[in-house]
């Protein structure tokens, strides 16, 4: 999952309802790179790519940060469409 945390977090953010659903994109520098995840309105961490690290991510040290675009990016749209297509097959 290395290198995919931004698009994973962005895609999940839009799939789950974004800011209106109480989700906050959050980042930290960990093991030499910037890492992205979401925090929900109850403070729960939603991190689809945490397994890329050798050590636990110190989530409590993360800082809320907005994504680069308001609407889903082209990469996030690909992931969102793939998830929706897979869901349609289920």
């Amino acid at each position: 999952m290395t290198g995919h945390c931004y698009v994973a977090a962005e895609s999940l953010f839009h799939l789950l309802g974004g800011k209106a659903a109480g989700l906050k994109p959050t980042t930290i520098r960990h093991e030499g790179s910037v890492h992205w995840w979401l925090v929900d309105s109850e403070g729960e961490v939603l991190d689809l790519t945490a397994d890329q690290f050798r050590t636990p991510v110190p989530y409590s040290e993360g800082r809320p940060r907005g994504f680069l675009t308001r609407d889903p990016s082209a990469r996030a749209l690909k992931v969102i469409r793939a998830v929706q297509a897979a869901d349609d097959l289920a």
Side-chain angles (χ1 to χ4, degrees), residues 6-85:
Y6 180 91
V7 71
E10 183 191 8
S11 300
L12 188 61
F13 178 83
H14 291 291
L15 283 165
L16 297 180
K19 189 175 181 178
L23 299 172
K24 290 186 229 174
T26 308
T27 66
I28 194 169
R29 181 165 277 293
H30 184 63
E31 293 184 9
S33 62
V34 175
H35 182 57
W36 289 79
W37 69 92
L38 302 176
V39 176
D40 72 13
S41 60
E42 296 180 12
E44 293 295 317
V45 170
L46 306 171
D47 187 353
L48 299 177
T49 63
D51 62 352
Q52 69 181 297
F53 296 110
R54 289 171 281 139
T55 60
V57 177
Y59 295 113
S60 64
E61 297 175 22
R63 301 184 104 169
R65 188 169 166 195
F67 292 116
L68 297 174
T69 59
R70 181 183 192 105
D71 296 321
S73 66
R75 291 188 318 151
L77 277 175
K78 286 182 183 181
V79 173
I80 291 166
R81 288 180 182 140
V83 168
Q84 292 170 334

